[in-house]
Amino acid sequence: MVAALAFWLLAAITVMGALAVLFFRDLFRAAMGLVFSFLGVAGLYFLLSADFLAAAQILIYAGAIAVLIVFGIMLTREVQRGNPSNRMAIPALVASALLFVAMVFVITTTRWAISPAAPAEPTTDALAAVLFTTYVLPFELASVLLLVAIIGAIALVRE
């Protein structure tokens, strides 16, 4: 009962955040709606016992990506005009309708195996062990690449 209530609450937060991104004309408020949507998805991952994905969702998307978007908005000139409409609204509506029909088709035709099993064991320890033993070099190279990208972005923005 509590898990179902938590699911519906998190699903509502996720959908409301996505609708805020869609309908707010102010870009900063739309970015805050995106943060709420990311946090709702992270909560859904926690409900699915996917603790590593939930932590990654919070750290990467709700943290880093949202901050990057907010910095982009703040550094953009003429952000006061808001999010203008363009002539791609009708093709975007058609594409999203086709995607929705495809998703409904897949959801209704897939045989979902639902088992009343106990929640899965936490995956963070096993993933951390593999990440820091087997994949140390790619992990460190990714961090150096991100650092270089941040320094390059600062150099481009600086006048």
Side-chain angles (χ1 to χ4, degrees), residues 90-148:
I90 300 299
L93 180 67
V94 170
S96 61
L98 290 174
L99 181 64
F100 178 74
V101 168
M103 287 174 38
V104 168
F105 175 75
V106 168
I107 289 170
T108 57
T109 59
T110 302
R111 296 192 58 179
W112 300 97
I114 300 173
S115 63
E121 293 181 14
T123 57
T124 308
D125 293 336
L127 286 172
V130 171
L131 182 65
F132 293 120
T133 57
T134 307
Y135 298 107
V136 172
L137 183 62
F139 181 75
E140 292 300 324
L141 287 176
S143 65
V144 170
L145 178 67
L146 287 172
L147 177 65
V148 169

Side-chain angles (χ1 to χ4, degrees), residues 12-128:
I13 290 171
T14 304
V15 170
M16 297 289 264
L19 289 174
V21 171
L22 185 63
F23 290 118
F24 281 162
R25 303 275 301 165
D26 183 20
L27 291 177
F28 183 76
R29 288 185 178 152
M32 291 301 106
L34 188 65
V35 169
F36 278 113
S37 183
F38 287 155
L39 290 174
V41 170
L44 291 172
Y45 284 146
F46 272 120
L47 284 179
L48 291 172
S49 298
D51 54 341
F52 180 76
L53 284 178
Q57 177 78 17
I58 291 171
L59 290 174
I60 295 170
Y61 288 104
I65 300 297
V67 168
L68 182 68
I69 289 172
V70 169
F71 279 157
I73 290 170
M74 295 300 170
L75 292 174
T76 302
R77 294 187 182 124
E78 299 184 26
V79 75
Q80 295 86 0
R81 291 193 305 175
N83 192 4
S85 298
N86 58 22
R87 54 178 202 254
M88 295 301 290
I90 300 299
L93 180 67
V94 170
S96 61
L98 290 174
L99 181 64
F100 178 74
V101 168
M103 287 174 38
V104 168
F105 175 75
V106 168
I107 289 170
T108 57
T109 59
T110 302
R111 296 192 58 179
W112 300 97
I114 300 173
S115 63
E121 293 181 14
T123 57
T124 308
D125 293 336
L127 286 172

